[in-house]
């Protein structure tokens, strides 16, 4: 905060270079998923930064920079979620054709077929939302905050449901680290949390809907 009295308008972004006095790294976090990506605590203790490190060169723009960044990065997290979900679906479909129970492959059971079909529908629906917001971004649209939040919200919820169902289709093997779906389920969880939780995406979608409705009434 560069001006606490101004709330979000008193927030500024700074680039703090590695090696800056007072800036150090803390412990490496021991995470549930995305373990190939390292996440480390950042410690700022009496850390002074130069004025030229102020992002954008103007004070009080930090919140606007952060929100603008999130609007662009959320479709990326949505695409990550889609990749995890699509991968889990591929694995579940292949396993269901190969695994035999009661003398037949489990893919011949309608209960399993319906799970697979639901997973496929949700993966495709998530893909459509992500491509729609990507087209918006590519076309140079200025405001795609709602579409970005929708894609991130839906794709991450789908990733969690689809990976959980993939583990179910694998049965006991799904719970084992030897098979890939256990990792996919753990990796999916973060997409509902970072770049704003699912609850925050819903808040943003609703806020935008209400604002748009009010603007139409004017
Ligand atoms: C592995 C990992 C990597 C990360 N990487 C980055 C990164 O690179 N950059 C970065 O800036 N951040 C990063 N984060 C932080 C991440 O974005 C936050 O953890 C996330 O936004 C949630 O914030 P919080 O942890 O403070 O949860 P809280 O805000 O404390 O939320 C706790 C719970 O309360 C709910 N909640 C909070 N406020 C509301 C509300 N207004 N309405 C309804 N429900 C609400 C949340 O949905 C959640 O369920 C990372 C986090 C993790 C775990």
């Amino acid at each position: 905060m560069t001006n606490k009295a101004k709330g979000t308008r008193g927030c500024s972004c700074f680039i703090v270079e590695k090696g800056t006095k007072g800036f150090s790294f803390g412990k490496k976090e021991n995470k549930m998923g995305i373990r190939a990506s390292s996440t480390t605590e950042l410690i700022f203790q009496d850390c002074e930064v130069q004025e030229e490190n102020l992002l954008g060169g103007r004070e009080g723009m930090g919140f606007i920079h952060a929100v603008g960044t999130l609007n662009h990065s959320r479709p990326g997290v949505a695409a990550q979620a889609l990749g995890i979900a699509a991968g889990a679906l591929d694995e579940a479909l292949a396993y269901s054709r190969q695994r035999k129970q009661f003398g037949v492959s489990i893919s011949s059971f309608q209960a399993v077929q319906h799970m697979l079909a639901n997973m496929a529908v949700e993966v495709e629906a998530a893909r459509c939302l992500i491509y729609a917001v990507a087209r918006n971004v590519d076309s140079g649209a200025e405001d795609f905050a709602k579409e970005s939040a929708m894609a991130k919200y839906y794709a991450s919820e789908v990733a969690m449901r689809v990976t959980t169902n993939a583990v179910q289709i694998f049965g006991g093997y799904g719970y084992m680290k030897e098979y890939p779906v256990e990792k996919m389920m753990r990796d999916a969880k973060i997409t509902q949390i970072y770049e704003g939780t699912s609850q925050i995406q819903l808040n943003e979608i609703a806020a935008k809907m209400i604002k748009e409705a009010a603007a139409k009434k004017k």
Side-chain angles (χ1 to χ4, degrees):
M1 300 302 292
T2 43
N3 187 340
K4 280 192 181 162
K6 285 191 174 171
T8 52
R9 295 275 167 189
C11 173
S12 304
C13 278
F14 293 90
I15 294 173
V16 185
E17 305 278 357
K18 197 172 164 185
T20 304
K21 194 164 166 254
F23 172 39
S24 60
F25 299 102
K27 74 170 170 31
K28 186 180 167 198
E29 303 293 352
N30 187 8
K31 303 195 299 283
M32 171 197 284
I34 57 164
R35 293 177 65 87
S37 152
S38 96
T39 305
T40 310
E41 195 182 9
L42 306 178
I43 300 166
F44 301 93
Q45 183 77 48
D46 300 326
C47 177
E48 287 185 18
V49 285
Q50 303 298 316
E51 204 175 319
E52 69 226 32
N53 286 27
L54 176 66
L55 200 67
R58 260 178 68 200
E59 220 179 300
M61 298 294 287
F63 187 73
I64 291 166
H65 289 320
V67 170
T69 305
L70 288 173
N71 288 342
H72 278 94
S73 61
R74 282 175 181 162
V77 174
Q80 175 191 12
L82 174 65
I84 297 169
L89 175 58
D90 286 350
E91 293 288 343
L93 178 59
Y95 183 79
S96 72
R97 295 177 66 236
Q98 160 218 318
R99 171 70 171 165
K100 295 227 169 13
Q101 277 297 31
F102 304 98
V104 291
S105 77
I106 61 167
S107 66
S108 65
F109 301 136
Q110 197 177 54
V112 174
Q113 290 174 0
H114 282 190
M115 279 172 88
L116 289 167
N118 267 317
M119 289 154 80
V121 171
E122 292 207 304
V123 165
E124 272 320 298
R127 196 190 308 277
C128 289
L129 277 176
I130 295 166
Y131 284 13
V133 69
R135 276 194 297 273
N136 252 338
V137 177
D138 283 349
S139 72
E142 290 206 345
D143 188 1
F144 45 86
K146 186 177 76 182
E147 291 74 13
S148 176
M150 282 179 165
K152 198 275 188 183
Y153 168 73
Y154 189 71
S156 62
E157 295 294 310
V158 164
M160 203 63 239
R161 276 198 295 274
V162 166
T163 54
T164 305
N165 281 339
V167 168
Q168 195 68 21
I169 288 172
F170 270 72
Y173 283 143
Y175 206 67
M176 304 300 165
K177 287 197 183 284
E178 282 94 329
Y179 290 83
V181 286
E182 171 272 347
K183 175 185 182 294
M184 289 168 164
M185 186 176 159
R186 286 186 289 106
D187 286 349
K189 188 63 204 172
I190 191 61
T191 66
Q192 292 179 307
I193 296 173
Y194 63 12
E195 306 289 320
T197 62
S198 288
Q199 290 72 31
I200 295 298
Q201 309 304 320
L202 292 177
N203 286 356
E204 292 201 13
I205 295 162
K208 203 77 189 177
M209 286 165 64
I210 293 161
K211 207 170 156 191
E212 283 168 0
K216 265 190 207 149
K217 235 185 155 190
K218 267 186 194 165

